[in-house]
Amino acid sequence: MSVGEEEKIIKQYQPLIRALIPYEQDNRLLEGLNKFSKRLPSSVRRVVKEEVIRLTSLTDAPADNSAFAQFPVMKFKHFGVQMRLDKVGARILKDETSLYQNRYTVGVFESVMNSDVYQAQIKKDQYKKIVDAFAVETQSLNDIDFGDDIALSPNFPVSSLEFEKGRHCNVSSLAFDTMAVETKRPPNSKTGDEITFTFPDVMGLHLPDQEVKFVLDSVKFNKHSGKYESNFSLHDDVEPYVYEAIKKYIQATAYNQPLKRDLEIERAMQDLERDRILESSPWVPIFVSVTKREISPVIALLTKSNIKHSNAFSVLKKLSGQALFSHLGREVSKYGEAFVFHGSIKTKRGMVEVAMTHRQLLEIDQLSAYVYLLSKSGDLSCTHCRIEEISDEDKHKSFSIHDIDPKQFTSLSSLNRIIFCRDVTDKVSKLTLGTRCDFKPIPKSFLVTDDCWRIDYVMEEDLDRRSETRYVVDKPASIKTGLLSSVEAKVNDLSSKGLQLTISDKSQAIGEEVRVTVPDLKIKNERYRVVHFDPESGVLRLCLLDLAKSSKTGASVDAMVEDNTAFYKMRDVARLQRATHRFIWELAIRHMPSLAVLCVLNRHLLDRLKTVYQGDTCDDIYPFSQAKNITPLHGFFADRNATKPKSKMLESLFQGTCQTTTVVHCVRKSDSKLVFIKNDDFLYGSMRQQIAQKLQDQKIQLCVTDICCIRSQSHSTPLTRKRLAQLSKVDKGAYDQLLKMQEGYTHVIYLTNLSMLQNDLVSARLRPIPPADEALTESGAA
């Protein structure tokens, strides 16, 4: 065998040679060869064996890497041998010596003197710096669990004749087995004194005896409150049921009362950040009731952001079909996410409106055909859907936090799923066929019908167009639509200047003006202007035509409300919608479907990435992995081949020159090697066909991550004041500070894994139209 062939074998089997070095050090080289290289030819085994023996041979050659070293170079002795190395060379020397079991061998000498090994170490160090620079602390969407450390700041005093001469002292902190009380001056009591406090009659605190014995542990001055705090612990002689009563009270009221100062600040911070993620999110939460018989949408939460970025009203309309939503609910429950295609297709009978999931298209092998036809018609839309479970504990928390009586909102108690939806049409709208395909007849299940769910929605008060006080009523009414024609209706709500009704005959033609009679409300043949009429639901919104009469009608309504204040207060639409909005908002912040990065103001670009929030089942960080509570974001944001931590992508996102982008990786299944692919190469290059072939052969896995950056529209969210209300009772200074901190939040970046859809689109040989070809097509059409 020639020298060149031996060098080629040594280079090819370098991992095997390094794996066999420890075996040779233990005089077990033959065992290692049999273990790792049973199927190798004898000639290759011989070369590998001789190379291992050579590398493990001892040497006394001095090492000097000053020819390619970085300043400064150090002189020292290693096992008595003279060395002249820089810091990187010294680290290589240390690592290689440990591999050879603390012996200075030929292999150690060659590694130290090899510039390729040196450069590999430099790149490894640079990579570590970049990874550390883009590592961001991770927070869970789940509530902070304070465990046994939880403590309330209850709003009641205690007293004792043995402490401060029987004066009432406010309780600043109450935990399971400890208590702290406030006094203006240091108490006369000493550490270890046994003091029996009398508790007031507090709702929820069921003590068998109002007197509870404590032991004084310490007295400290609280600089935040400007008072002295005396810290007590339960006496050992106290019966266990007293401890259980206090514990049960704290657990039951933890969401209704402020916590101890430090704990309340932590809780408020998490709530404020989760609120900001929801407020800026493009996802539209649809709250669903799932029973054994069916899955039905109940209500959706609309925000300024999801209306703008996902066209929320259009999304709700497209998903409202009963057949489509039923299939969508089953699919997302099974797979966790789904993609819904909607649009019109031109057929021999004319334009046909269709809606289906991408898995339904895969089952009949028509994904490429329908995407092409829908895109060709210019009416294609794609909606990304994910589902999250709602636990009874989450609903209990939401009712408690916002002081809502579940008996008055029975429909909210039935909610047990959230289907999050967002528009991703831009990811599929410019695709064309990469190869010929057959077009099959359209299945009946794909056709859009008139059988639709009515999906209610709530929004923050700033978005609600009807600001006049309205009251929910259920009264019969009749609407005169012509000289001799009328239609029966039911009043849904009323205000001083308007009504909302539901007519019985939805096919009835409604003009611009109607006359309404509601005997129970003393409204007789009153003229109203039609503001809006929805033929599908039969909902009719009316406003008084003659505003001169509004004072008379309004006075009549106000008098009726004043006579029955208690009755109408419980039916105030604004109050009901505010409670509903807060309840479903509270559920949504604990179940956001994609990874979110909160960004703040900072001089340094990378320091603007403050915190990552993600759910327990979220895998949007894939193909990377988290380490404890740290999320590495270098694979998405860091510039490629940069020697220092830089990110042109983040600069563009923060400056607003681009709002969305896509990052593509491939994972080779044979050795889990990760390969980054440029976006243009993935979309328009020949590499797309290569990826499609590799996917078909099941040799790789495609990882496509959508990155969307949304600027915060305001310093506060709809619930900012509510979140800080409890803190203001504990520490007004901390309240002001946290309120001021909200001005520092600038953007929220959402990372969403679209690999499922993109794998199928690439496998279906669909390819994007290059911008140049698209421009030529448009000019030719013009």
Side-chain angles (χ1 to χ4, degrees), residues 667-708:
V667 180
R668 196 161 61 192
K669 292 185 177 181
S670 60
D671 56 0
S672 298
K673 184 178 180 180
L674 186 64
V675 180
F676 169 74
I677 301 175
K678 292 182 179 179
N679 205 21
D680 286 347
D681 293 341
F682 168 69
L683 294 175
Y684 312 117
S686 59
M687 189 177 292
R688 189 176 181 90
Q689 284 72 34
Q690 298 175 21
I691 293 173
Q693 186 60 46
K694 296 289 185 182
L695 287 173
Q696 185 175 348
D697 297 340
Q698 297 184 353
K699 292 184 177 180
I700 65 169
Q701 184 177 3
L702 187 64
C703 303
V704 182
T705 303
D706 176 60
I707 298 176
C708 176

Side-chain angles (χ1 to χ4, degrees), residues 281-336:
S281 172
W283 293 91
V284 183
I286 302 176
F287 293 80
V288 174
S289 175
V290 180
T291 62
K292 293 182 179 179
R293 294 184 177 180
E294 64 181 6
I295 175 171
S296 57
V298 179
I299 194 167
L301 175 63
L302 303 188
T303 64
K304 294 176 183 177
S305 184
N306 63 32
I307 290 174
K308 178 181 178 181
H309 297 286
S310 285
N311 198 359
F313 293 105
S314 176
V315 166
L316 294 180
K317 185 176 181 181
K318 291 171 183 175
L319 298 182
S320 61
Q322 291 187 7
L324 172 65
F325 198 88
S326 178
H327 178 83
L328 172 64
R330 293 193 300 270
E331 187 171 308
V332 292
S333 297
K334 182 177 181 179
Y335 298 103

Side-chain angles (χ1 to χ4, degrees), residues 268-281:
M269 280 288 293
Q270 186 193 36
D271 286 342
L272 289 169
E273 291 188 339
R274 292 187 301 187
D275 288 344
R276 191 164 296 277
I277 290 170
L278 174 58
E279 185 201 34
S280 301
S281 172

Side-chain angles (χ1 to χ4, degrees), residues 494-551:
L494 82 154
S495 64
S496 300
K497 299 179 183 178
L499 291 171
Q500 184 194 93
L501 306 97
T502 302
I503 62 175
S504 56
D505 185 3
K506 299 177 184 179
S507 61
Q508 178 69 44
I510 302 295
E512 296 181 356
E513 176 187 336
V514 294
R515 288 183 176 270
V516 180
T517 299
V518 188
D520 294 347
L521 302 179
K522 299 180 181 180
I523 297 175
K524 185 176 181 181
N525 213 26
E526 189 66 74
R527 295 172 65 196
Y528 282 89
R529 174 173 57 87
V530 177
V531 177
H532 178 260
F533 175 58
D534 184 359
E536 295 182 3
S537 61
V539 174
L540 184 64
R541 302 179 190 275
L542 305 175
C543 177
L544 277 172
L545 184 66
D546 187 0
L547 294 179
K549 290 185 178 182
S550 64
S551 58

